[in-house]
Amino acid sequence: MPMTPTPPAEAGATPPAPPVPLASLLARPDLGLRLLAGPEDVPLHWVHTSEMADPYPYLLGGELLMTAGVQLTDPAHYVERVVEAGAAALAFGVTPVYDTVPPELVAACARHGLPLVEVPPRTPFTAVARALWRLMAEARLHELRRVTEAQQSLAAAAARPAPVPAVLGALASRVGGRAVLFGADGAESAAAGREVPAEAARALRDLAGVLGPRPGGPASASGDGGGLRLAAYALGGGDGLTLGVAAERRGPGDHTMAGVAVVLLSLLTAPHRGADVTVRDGALVRLLLGAAPEEVADPLGPGPWTVVHARGGDGTPFAATSLAAALGTPLLAQDGGTVRLLLPSSAAPVTAQEGWTLGASAPVPPAELPAGDAQAARALRRAEAGRAALVRHRAGGLAALVDRDEAAAHARALLGPLTEPLAETLRVWLSLHGSWDRTAVALDIHRNTVRQRITRCAALLDRDLDDPDVRMELWFALRAR
């Protein structure tokens, strides 16, 4: 049974556009395409047009390669190179170079099992490409609707009295197969869906055994067994629980559904879900509602805690929850487009997450959570300004040698002539080493506006902003205000 570990980030990703079967293009009467060799059920991932004698260096694999044979001199060698590159099918346009598809090309495609499609003179290549993109867009829309409906049913299942079996049942129903929750010892803890052959059940259990709470180990793996497509996903919490899924098919949407189920099951099976966590969550609510940090320090726990601010995601309803699971915490809140998370000391160090921009605070005790929140917010702003995936709060340095109150008073006096928009523009401009273009992108304004604001700052402050000493003093003041 082949097993392929897959990156954990994929579990929560938005499914890409599903491939379109070649048969769907052949069925379009307006195109007039005709299959001359090979199967018609191959999946097409994209389309590419090339008149190169050897298109191999320009192919990624999975595409419909279209050509009029301008430099076709050796059909057999040409087909060999196309097959080596992994192209899904070849479309040959008759006229203006050839009146008919060369028989040698047909024979070579038949020999290699490469689908060969004849494109009639009345059909431009752009029409074929446009038709494929439309079919892919329709398939993607259908897949997104299917995933959205699945997410809603999984969320509803998680709210039922017996949530774990309900989530497994909802997942099994959506993928048309079987979903199994394996314990750390490899035994089935719960299962739902249709029965699968014994060979598939054994293969799924073996696949789940590949995963586990080992540091740095794979979070998911895929394989085949008993005529079914298999996948296994490690649940969060470090208890060795694993979700196994067996179905006849496995597409991007199915992987996304399983990722949502993993997040829900990780939260539902976490060992700390009990009286302690209820007290802790209540303390967090009180803190967010304005209680003094020292009043909630005891039930919240000794910490230290890391505050993370994040923006981005894939736009799906569970994007923030998937991010929280990836970072190892169920504690999150959304404020507009920003996700705020609290990571306990037991969580792994914060790492960059695909599709997200993160700012992380230094580890802080409960009494300093507001300061940590401010650190994370500033780190996120630096990450966005520098187009970095992750920026951590930098503690210490020269700024730490100056009394905070004195530094703040000096900053207020120095920066007093500046309005908030001017001060923010100056801060971003300094952080980006005086780059007009990068500052304009970071602030979403025109570069001429940046120049005007910086010129205005220089006039109001009566300072030479080309002087590195002036820049350094202003930078410290902007950070201390």
Side-chain angles (χ1 to χ4, degrees):
M1 177 190 69
M3 294 182 290
T4 307
T6 51
E10 291 183 4
T14 300
V20 173
L22 174 59
S24 297
L25 272 183
L26 297 174
R28 293 282 299 264
D30 57 314
L31 298 177
L33 305 179
R34 188 163 64 100
L35 184 66
L36 302 181
E40 66 174 15
D41 59 348
V42 295
L44 305 177
H45 292 266
W46 41 74
V47 63
H48 179 68
T49 300
S50 174
E51 296 301 339
M52 303 296 295
D54 180 11
Y56 179 94
Y58 309 98
L59 300 179
L60 298 175
E63 58 268 282
L64 170 65
L65 173 63
M66 297 193 293
T67 181
V70 175
Q71 299 192 60
L72 182 65
T73 57
D74 186 348
H77 178 69
Y78 183 86
V79 170
E80 287 178 359
R81 295 293 286 169
V82 171
V83 172
E84 287 177 10
L90 177 64
F92 193 90
V94 294
T95 68
V97 182
Y98 290 87
D99 294 330
T100 60
V101 180
E104 298 86 358
L105 186 67
V106 178
C109 287
R111 187 165 56 251
H112 288 277
L114 178 69
L116 175 62
V117 177
E118 179 188 72
V119 182
R122 65 179 175 83
T123 303
F125 283 177
T126 53
V128 178
R130 186 166 55 245
L132 179 59
W133 296 136
R134 286 177 176 173
L135 289 170
M136 294 183 72
E138 293 171 1
R140 176 175 173 78
L141 180 59
H142 177 269
E143 193 73 356
L144 287 174
R145 285 175 177 169
R146 192 170 74 93
V147 170
T148 299
E149 292 172 356
Q151 290 174 334
Q152 292 172 348
S153 66
L154 287 167
R160 293 175 186 167
V164 171
V167 169
L168 293 174
L171 177 61
S173 175
R174 290 292 172 174
V175 302
R178 185 168 180 81
V180 182
L181 182 63
F182 293 100
D185 58 356
E188 286 193 10
S189 176
R194 64 183 180 87
E195 294 293 333
V196 298
E199 179 185 351
R202 287 194 299 271
L204 185 60
R205 183 174 62 251
D206 293 341
L207 187 65
V210 174
L211 310 178
R214 302 185 305 277
S220 61
S222 60
D224 301 277
L228 298 175
R229 308 297 300 276
L230 310 177
Y233 307 85
L235 269 59
D239 298 317
L241 298 180
T242 305
L243 171 65
V245 181
E248 293 182 356
R249 53 161 285 179
R250 182 175 67 242
D254 300 293
H255 196 59
T256 303
M257 294 176 204
V260 174
V262 167
V263 173
L264 294 173
L265 292 171
S266 297
L267 297 175
L268 293 170
T269 59
H272 57 265
R273 300 303 297 180
D276 291 343
V277 78
T278 300
V279 172
R280 186 191 67 191
D281 289 352
L284 286 172
V285 171
R286 289 166 53 207
L287 181 63
L288 294 174
L289 290 178
E294 57 270 16
E295 295 179 12
V296 298
D298 289 339
L300 188 59
W305 296 80
T306 299
V307 185
V308 175
H309 283 206
R311 290 198 187 103
D314 54 26
T316 56
F318 286 90
T321 309
S322 299
L323 173 66
L327 295 180
T329 179
L331 305 176
L332 76 155
Q334 287 188 265
D335 182 11
T338 302
V339 180
R340 303 162 70 193
L341 307 101
L342 280 180
L343 278 62
S345 57
S346 59
V350 180
T351 57
Q353 302 295 318
E354 184 177 357
W356 290 92
T357 302
L358 306 179
S361 75
V364 296
E368 297 182 16
L369 279 175
D373 189 56
Q375 292 174 7
R378 289 194 297 269
L380 178 60
R381 288 197 295 268
R382 291 201 303 272
E384 291 180 321
R387 299 181 183 180
L390 168 64
V391 168
R392 293 181 174 85
H393 172 71
R394 296 189 299 268
L398 292 175
L401 302 178
V402 181
D403 180 82
R404 289 186 178 182
D405 293 336
E406 292 182 3
H410 175 70
R412 287 192 296 270
L414 176 61
L415 303 172
L418 302 184
T419 62
E420 183 58 31
L422 290 176
E424 179 62 10
T425 303
L426 179 61
R427 186 194 66 79
V428 175
W429 182 73
L430 290 173
S431 73
L432 297 176
H433 311 289
S435 170
W436 309 108
D437 292 330
R438 292 174 64 191
T439 303
V441 171
L443 295 175
D444 195 24
I445 58 178
H446 196 277
R447 67 194 306 272
N448 289 343
T449 303
V450 177
R451 286 182 177 273
Q452 293 168 2
R453 290 183 180 180
I454 296 302
T455 301
R456 182 65 175 159
C457 288
L460 291 173
L461 297 173
D462 193 22
R463 300 293 181 100
D464 180 8
L465 298 187
D466 289 329
D467 187 331
D469 290 334
V470 172
R471 288 194 180 194
M472 181 178 66
E473 182 182 13
L474 290 173
W475 175 249
F476 280 120
L478 287 164
R479 293 187 62 188
R481 67 190 180 113

